[in-house]
């Protein structure tokens, strides 16, 4: 535990706006040794900004989000000023600032008519100085749900626990115990049936969050947020639902970026391949592509691990932006051949250089590395060099350095030139060992506030500034290489600002276990609420033993129903140089089931990609907590559901369950019900294809060689589908792999088994060309509506391509559930009966 040096500024008086009608107030402390200023302002009708600063504790010099402009609707908030108090009512919420009844400022936020506030500070201890940093104490709302913080160990509910706000290389972590992990996003959301409130700090500093893990007879039950350096800039976001909170947060931090459409296919990987000398890695990877074709398993990209950068001669260390020409004699030729096979390459790049790197001296002389103020030399530490656990002396790239940023940018441009399709920013947690190391602060794109140039220490600026700028350098290089295409940066570490440049991330170097598969669901749900929404896991486990056939199949079936689907590993075992890999055909007894799951994944890409387009527009995560949108259902506030480990929503249509113990053939799934609108229930997509009532726990058959994991479609929903193979995205101008065009579209609908009693449902999905740069994206909308009688299903289809994007498919196939023998009719389109598909489902073409 770090030393605690708390001091509490007192004697607060109004410095500005205390008695006027503005929705803000500024206070000053007259404590002679603690000249602090506190400010509170209304930024949106549901967003409030607070600051707590002094000359020695200024705001973060590089906040993780830009300061938003104030935007208040209508006539603005109603402001009431009292004696050392101020109340600001903004329609659905009311904020109060009180510096009369407490020796420190106290902020509270309430819903009108509710006695208990959603949020309130701890009187007399709300905002404190703690050494070079600060602490903020708020009341802990016991028995409620706390989520967020980017990426934290399972369960999803963070209540009653304490966390470090830090990033580290947590290789082989325990998904239930390891802290910290790879991400540092200080966004904490408290969700209750009455409403939700979020607290977000813009610092890049390290710190901690105690989410009710402490209590004190004097102070009661509380939460404490600490940051190691600087003053506080914090946003309070309030909303009636989690959706309101997350969308509002995205308005501040930036909406999730789009990945290329092909990234929703199967992404293969494995450290072993790039580490091979005999046969050379390039030949081994061509053999992987041949086996994928032999087993009829589609694959869209391969994650090329850093073995391609290992020097051919002693010392055989990893040297970013170099190629091992024994393993890859002709990098450009290899990449062209892989593209002809329909597989893109995602290249691993790490933001550090070992002392043996051929350009280390050049970077040192140019000031592109952190400086150790005690020696005046580049700051060095032990960095991963060769095999698992092996290290050498080296230095991190300083991305505030003009030369360092440009050197990285140029390296990425060169990888783009030879044909790399995605930059995999790896090992970018910036686990530097001394906060006093100094940054250059001379990159022209970096804003350096007045006075901040005198404090170049990495601790003050926040080491994770470099994680963000690392993402920016890779993103900008890809953008400038192909201005019409969206850059695709995959990042392991992340801050709030990083995700404005990186479009995707994953949970890092997980371990093979049944518990690891289950706990990963909780990580996904918290990640999505922190805007990491193209998120996934290394299926089967990155480290640890090889998964059993049963575990591998269960994990693949689950992973196919997540935003990102990748199999990648470095199973060191007795060989920490090359390791072993997971291959989808490694167990012949299940290969046909693995193929079936992956092909279903490809067929569902129109649905998955539509969810990502919605994420980009609204920040609604594709993968959601069971209670998302069902806050009125009391059961979702029970511990088993709040843990977020065993089930989740994939979009509005699919409720996904899982099996998390060996030998289990059944699974319990809760089917939420928020109102009578949900009374139509769910359809089991596996045999016996039964309809199940909402608002109950259901036991689902899930034999691993049979039905697979539980999948339940909500009655009234729809899932657009396409071909069960990789197709050419409409915006792609070259087709060197001779991929089929995306000219087939079906939509699976789920009517009630009998009459819908006049009830009609409408479902919209979205499409674009799959590759265009974000500012050039044209998104079209496709809406299927339907109702039913005992004998037929009436459908209505609307195609809105006013955006300018015209889909290559011209007709739509409507697919009824298994066992539904009704006919489909449409008053506005010609309907052709196409018979039944391979699953016995009736199909009808609309034209």
């Amino acid at each position: 535990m770090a030393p605690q040096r708390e001091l509490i500024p007192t004697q607060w008086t109004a410095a500005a706006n205390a008695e006027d009608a503005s929705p803000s107030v500024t206070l000053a402390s007259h404590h002679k040794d603690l000249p602090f200023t506190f400010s509170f302002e209304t930024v949106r009708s549901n967003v409030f900004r607070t600051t707590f600063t002094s000359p020695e504790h200024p705001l973060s010099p590089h906040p993780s989000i830009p300061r938003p402009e104030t935007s208040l609707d209508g006539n603005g908030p109603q402001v009431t000023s009292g004696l050392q108090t101020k109340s600001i009512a903004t329609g659905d919420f009311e904020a109060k600032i009180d510096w009369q009844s407490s020796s420190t400022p106290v902020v509270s936020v309430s819903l009108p008519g509710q006695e208990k506030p959603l949020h309130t500070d701890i009187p007399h201890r709300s905002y404190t100085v703690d050494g070079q940093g600060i602490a903020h104490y708020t009341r802990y709302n016991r028995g409620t749900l706390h989520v967020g913080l980017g990426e934290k160990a399972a369960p999803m509910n963070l209540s009653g626990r304490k966390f470090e706000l830090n990033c580290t290389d947590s290789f082989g972590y325990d998904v239930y115990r390891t802290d910290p992990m790879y991400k540092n996003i200080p966004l904490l959301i408290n969700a209750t049936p009455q409403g939700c409130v979020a607290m977000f700090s813009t610092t890049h500093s390290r710190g901690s969050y105690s989410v009710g893990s402490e209590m004190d007879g004097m102070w009661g039950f509380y939460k404490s947020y600490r940051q190691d350096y600087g003053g506080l800039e914090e946003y309070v976001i309030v909303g009636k639902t989690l959706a309101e909170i997350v969308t509002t947060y995205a308005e501040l931090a930036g909406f999730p970026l789009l990945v290329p459409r092909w990234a929703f296919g199967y992404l293969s990987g494995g450290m072993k391949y790039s580490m091979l000398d005999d046969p050379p890695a390039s030949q081994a990877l061509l053999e992987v592509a041949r086996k994928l074709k032999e087993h009829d398993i589609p694959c869209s990209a391969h994650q090329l691990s850093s073995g391609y950068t290992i020097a051919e001669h002693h010392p055989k260390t990893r040297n970013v932006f170099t190629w091992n020409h024994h393993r890859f004699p002709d990098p450009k030729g290899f990449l062209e051949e892989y593209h002809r096979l329909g597989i893109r390459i995602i290249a691993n790049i790490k933001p550090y250089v070992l002392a043996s790197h051929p350009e280390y001296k050049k970077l040192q002389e140019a000031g592109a590395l952190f400086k150790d103020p005690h020696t005046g030399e580049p700051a060095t530490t032990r960095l991963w060099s060769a095999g698992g656990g092996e290290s050498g002396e080296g230095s991190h790239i300083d991305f505030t350095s003009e030369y360092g940023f440009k050197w990285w940018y140029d390296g990425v441009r060169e990888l783009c030139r030879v044909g790399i399709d995605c930059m995999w920013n790896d090992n970018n947690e910036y686990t530097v060992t001394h906060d006093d190391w100094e940054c250059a602060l001379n990159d022209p794109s970096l804003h350096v506030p007045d006075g901040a140039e005198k404090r170049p220490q990495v601790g003050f600026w926040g080491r994770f500034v470099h994680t963000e700028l690392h993402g920016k350098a890779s993103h900008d290089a890809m953008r400038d290489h192909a201005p019409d295409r969206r850059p695709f940066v995959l990042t392991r570490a992340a801050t709030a600002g990083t995700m404005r440049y990186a479009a995707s991330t994953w949970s890092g170097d997980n371990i093979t276990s049944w518990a690891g598969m289950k706990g990963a669901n909780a990580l996904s749900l918290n990640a999505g609420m922190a805007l990491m929404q193209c998120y996934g896991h290394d299926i089967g486990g990155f480290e640890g033993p090889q998964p059993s056939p049963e575990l591998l199949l269960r994990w693949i079936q689950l992973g196919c129903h997540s935003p990102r689907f990748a199999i990648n590993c470095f199973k060191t075992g007795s060989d920490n140089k090359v390791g072993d890999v997971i291959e989808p055909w490694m167990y012949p007894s299940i290969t046909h089931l693995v193929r079936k799951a992956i092909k279903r994944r490809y067929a569902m890409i129109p649905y998955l990609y539509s969810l990502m387009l919605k994420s980009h527009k609204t920040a609604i995560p594709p993968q959601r907590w069971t209670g998302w949108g069902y806050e009125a259902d009391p059961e979702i506030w029970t511990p088993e559901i709040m843990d977020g480990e065993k089930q989740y929503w994939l979009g509005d249509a699919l409720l996904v369950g899982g099996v998390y113990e060996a030998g289990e053939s059944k699974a319990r799934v809760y089917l939420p019900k928020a109102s009578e609108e949900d009374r139509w229930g769910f359809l089991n997509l596996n045999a016996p294809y039964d309809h199940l009532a909402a608002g109950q726990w259901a036991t689902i058959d899930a034999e691993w060689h049979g039905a697979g994991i539980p999948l339940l479609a909500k009655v009234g929903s729809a899932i657009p589908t396409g071909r069960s193979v990789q197709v050419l995205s409409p915006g792609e101008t070259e087709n060197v792999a001779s991929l089929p065009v995306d000219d087939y579209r079906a939509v699976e609908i789920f009517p009630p088994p009998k009459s819908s009693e006049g009830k009609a449902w409408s479902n919209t999905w979205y499409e674009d060309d799959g590759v265009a740069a974000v500012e050039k994206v044209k998104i079209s909308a496709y809406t299927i509506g339907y109702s039913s009688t005992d004998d037929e299903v009436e459908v209505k289809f609307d195609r809105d391509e006013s955006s300018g994007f015209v889909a290559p498919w011209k007709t739509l196939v409507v697919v009824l559930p298994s066992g539904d023998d009704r006919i489909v009719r449409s008053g506005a389109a010609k309907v052709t009966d196409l018979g039944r598909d391979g699953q016995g489902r009736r199909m009808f073409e609309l034209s």
Side-chain angles (χ1 to χ4, degrees):
M1 181 176 292
Q4 186 171 355
R5 298 187 176 94
E6 279 196 12
L7 297 170
I8 303 176
T10 56
Q11 305 173 36
W12 293 91
T13 60
N17 310 119
E19 297 179 359
D20 63 19
S22 67
S24 62
V25 66
T26 301
L27 307 177
S29 169
H30 293 276
H31 193 294
K32 67 181 182 69
D33 297 320
L34 300 171
F36 269 75
T37 299
F38 172 86
S39 72
F40 178 93
E41 62 181 297
T42 309
V43 179
R44 303 278 192 277
S45 62
N46 67 329
V47 180
F48 308 96
R49 175 179 180 263
T50 60
T51 66
F52 176 65
T53 61
S54 76
E56 294 300 314
H57 294 76
L59 293 179
S60 170
H62 187 88
S64 61
I65 67 169
R67 184 172 177 179
E69 294 183 4
T70 298
S71 177
L72 299 173
D73 299 330
N75 297 322
Q78 295 182 338
V79 178
T80 305
S81 298
L83 181 63
Q84 295 184 310
T85 65
K86 197 166 195 177
S87 296
I88 302 165
T90 61
D92 292 330
F93 309 100
E94 181 177 358
K96 182 178 180 181
I97 311 96
D98 179 354
W99 63 102
Q100 177 188 32
S101 59
S102 168
S103 58
T104 61
V106 171
V107 172
S108 61
V109 180
S110 305
L111 288 164
Q114 288 197 355
E115 185 176 331
K116 185 178 180 181
L118 287 173
H119 157 79
T120 186
D121 292 332
I122 297 292
H124 308 293
R125 202 185 181 186
S126 51
Y127 300 91
T128 74
V129 189
D130 190 0
Q132 296 188 62
I134 57 89
H136 182 199
Y137 288 84
T138 58
R139 188 70 66 202
Y140 175 54
N141 197 356
R142 289 186 291 164
T144 61
L145 175 65
H146 290 84
V147 293
L149 297 186
E151 185 178 74
K152 290 301 175 186
M156 181 189 76
N157 189 2
L158 308 178
S159 299
R161 300 154 67 192
K162 185 174 183 177
F163 303 96
E164 284 192 44
L165 300 178
N166 195 7
C167 306
T168 192
D169 181 354
S170 46
F171 177 83
Y173 60 85
D174 183 330
V175 73
Y176 284 95
R177 291 182 174 83
T178 300
D179 183 69
M181 292 174 61
Y182 303 94
K183 318 295 193 294
N184 178 7
I185 300 178
L187 169 76
L188 183 68
I189 306 171
N190 180 207
T192 76
Q194 292 75 38
C196 305
V197 63
M199 310 291 290
F200 172 68
S201 170
T202 64
T203 184
H204 280 100
S205 174
R206 293 194 300 172
S208 66
Y209 226 130
S210 172
V211 188
S213 63
E214 309 168 25
M215 67 84 57
D216 184 276
M218 175 73 71
W219 306 107
F221 294 91
Y222 60 83
K223 296 177 289 190
S224 63
Y225 164 75
R226 298 179 184 278
Q227 65 185 52
D228 290 354
Y229 290 92
L232 177 69
E233 180 182 44
E234 193 170 50
Y235 290 88
V236 182
I237 306 169
V238 287
K240 293 182 179 178
T241 64
L242 280 167
E244 290 181 24
I245 294 287
V246 174
T247 299
T248 301
Y249 172 59
E251 291 170 356
L252 304 178
F255 286 82
L257 297 178
L258 289 174
V259 298
R261 190 176 187 271
W262 58 258
F264 287 92
Y266 164 43
L267 311 178
S268 72
M271 179 70 75
K272 176 180 179 178
Y273 303 124
S274 72
M275 296 294 291
L276 291 172
D277 290 313
D278 185 19
S282 54
Q283 291 183 24
L285 284 167
L286 290 171
E287 177 65 10
V288 170
R290 186 192 68 77
K291 286 185 176 179
L292 284 163
K293 186 173 183 179
E294 174 188 324
H295 290 286
D296 191 23
I297 294 174
C299 178
S300 296
H302 180 84
Q303 296 189 185
L304 181 63
S305 297
S306 57
Y308 78 97
T309 70
I310 287 184
E312 297 168 54
H313 307 291
H314 183 80
K316 294 187 175 183
T317 55
R318 297 170 200 275
N319 296 322
V320 66
F321 300 137
T322 69
W323 287 85
N324 180 310
H325 287 284
H326 171 73
R327 296 174 182 178
F328 294 88
D330 177 11
K332 195 170 191 297
F334 164 76
L335 292 168
E336 289 171 350
E337 179 62 21
Y338 238 57
H339 289 157
R340 281 193 289 271
L341 295 169
I343 304 175
R344 288 100 173 154
I345 290 292
I346 299 168
N348 186 288
I349 47 179
K350 306 180 189 299
Y352 61 75
V353 285
L354 293 153
S356 57
H357 193 288
E359 298 203 6
Y360 185 90
K361 188 170 181 57
K362 180 196 296 186
L363 290 163
Q364 174 185 355
E365 292 173 348
L369 311 172
F370 294 133
K371 184 173 77 173
D372 185 338
H374 303 290
T375 64
E377 298 295 323
T380 60
T381 188
R382 303 296 299 186
L383 296 164
W384 187 36
S385 59
E390 296 182 6
S391 65
E393 289 283 332
S395 302
H396 287 91
I397 303 297
D398 174 4
F399 280 94
T400 74
S401 156
E402 180 176 12
Y403 191 91
F405 189 99
K406 182 68 162 51
W407 182 80
W408 189 269
Y409 171 98
D410 289 343
V412 171
R413 284 293 297 265
E414 175 60 17
L415 288 177
C416 291
R417 187 192 67 78
V418 298
I420 296 298
D421 303 279
C422 168
M423 299 303 153
W424 173 6
N425 282 11
D426 201 15
N427 296 80
N428 53 345
E429 294 78 24
Y430 272 79
T431 51
V432 303
T433 55
H434 205 300
D435 282 344
D436 288 345
W437 288 357
E438 294 178 354
C439 306
L441 306 182
N442 61 10
D443 184 70
S445 67
L446 182 74
H447 172 68
V448 181
D450 290 345
E453 75 281 357
K454 298 176 182 177
R455 299 182 68 175
Q457 294 80 15
V458 70
F460 172 71
W461 277 77
R463 60 190 64 194
F464 312 120
V465 164
H466 300 274
T467 302
E468 176 186 312
L469 297 179
H470 179 217
K472 184 178 189 300
S474 293
H475 169 277
D476 290 0
M478 295 195 78
R479 177 200 62 199
D480 295 346
H481 173 77
D484 293 333
R485 291 177 174 258
R486 64 195 63 160
F488 185 12
V489 178
L490 170 68
T491 186
R492 188 170 78 176
T495 65
T498 307
M499 301 315 292
R500 290 195 295 276
Y501 306 108
S504 184
T505 184
W506 83 108
S507 63
D509 300 342
N510 59 350
I511 199 162
T512 301
S513 70
W514 287 90
M517 177 177 65
K518 181 175 73 169
N521 293 331
L523 269 61
S524 292
L525 299 178
N526 271 327
M529 287 183 268
L531 302 184
M532 296 182 289
Q533 297 185 351
C534 187
Y535 185 91
H537 312 279
D538 286 338
I539 301 301
F542 184 83
E543 169 61 327
Q546 286 285 19
S548 67
E550 183 183 6
L551 175 56
L552 179 60
L553 180 59
R554 293 291 199 198
W555 212 330
I556 287 173
Q557 290 169 339
L558 195 65
C560 282
H561 293 89
S562 66
R564 170 181 163 81
F565 175 64
I567 300 176
N568 182 50
C569 66
F570 181 28
K571 296 193 170 298
T572 52
S574 59
D575 178 5
N576 78 331
K577 294 286 189 185
V578 176
D580 205 354
V581 291
I582 297 171
E583 295 173 321
W585 55 82
M586 63 191 293
Y587 297 121
S589 64
I590 63 167
T591 300
H592 65 296
L593 296 171
V594 169
R595 180 188 308 115
K596 178 183 176 182
I598 293 176
K599 286 200 163 189
R600 175 59 178 172
R601 165 84 182 190
Y602 274 86
M604 286 179 59
I605 284 179
Y607 180 63
L608 295 165
Y609 187 64
S610 174
L611 294 178
M612 199 67 238
L613 288 170
K614 186 174 181 179
S615 158
H616 176 63
K617 292 170 63 176
T618 69
I620 302 301
Q623 190 170 352
R624 308 167 198 162
W625 174 50
T626 303
W628 185 283
Y630 293 83
E631 288 89 350
D633 183 345
E635 188 68 17
I636 64 105
W637 301 106
T638 57
E640 186 170 358
I641 300 296
M642 290 196 296
D643 281 352
E645 297 171 0
K646 295 183 179 179
Q647 62 179 77
Y648 54 84
W649 284 103
L650 186 62
D652 295 324
L654 268 183
L655 190 62
V656 180
V659 179
Y660 304 102
E661 293 183 19
E664 290 291 325
S665 60
K666 296 182 183 297
R668 288 175 75 241
V669 180
Y670 181 69
L671 313 180
K673 181 180 180 182
S675 71
E676 279 304 301
E677 284 292 308
D678 302 317
R679 70 184 185 277
W680 304 97
F682 293 79
L683 173 66
N684 186 352
L685 296 187
N686 296 322
Y689 310 112
D690 46 338
H691 279 82
L692 300 164
Q696 65 159 331
W697 284 93
T699 299
I700 309 296
D701 287 334
E703 201 280 323
W704 74 283
H705 264 299
I709 63 171
L711 296 170
L712 299 114
K714 185 175 181 180
V715 170
S717 66
I719 297 176
T721 60
R723 298 183 183 277
S724 61
V725 296
Q726 186 182 179
V727 298
L728 188 74
S729 294
E732 295 187 82
T733 56
E734 295 182 348
N735 190 10
V736 297
S738 299
L739 298 174
V741 295
D742 186 28
D743 60 357
Y744 171 78
R745 192 66 75 245
V747 59
E748 299 172 1
I749 61 174
F750 309 102
K754 296 186 179 298
S755 171
S756 64
E757 301 169 4
K759 169 71 176 176
W761 292 273
S762 179
N763 295 268
T764 299
W765 77 91
Y766 303 96
E767 302 196 21
D768 74 347
D769 73 359
V771 296
V774 168
E775 59 272 14
K776 299 181 180 181
V777 164
K778 298 176 180 178
I779 300 175
S780 292
Y782 305 87
T783 301
I784 186 78
Y786 63 91
S787 60
S788 67
T789 68
D790 290 353
D791 303 313
E792 61 186 38
V793 178
E794 178 74 20
V795 301
K796 180 182 178 181
F797 177 59
D798 180 66
R799 186 176 183 133
D800 180 1
E801 296 176 331
S802 58
S803 70
F805 170 72
V806 178
W809 48 272
K810 303 306 176 188
T811 61
L812 181 70
V813 175
V814 176
V815 182
L816 294 181
S818 294
D820 193 329
D821 290 326
R822 289 174 288 189
I823 61 171
V824 167
R825 296 191 184 279
S826 176
K830 177 184 176 182
V831 180
T832 303
D833 189 341
L834 300 180
R836 298 180 186 271
D837 67 6
Q839 300 176 52
R841 301 179 299 180
R842 295 199 71 176
M843 303 185 300
F844 300 84
E845 183 181 72
L846 304 185
S847 58

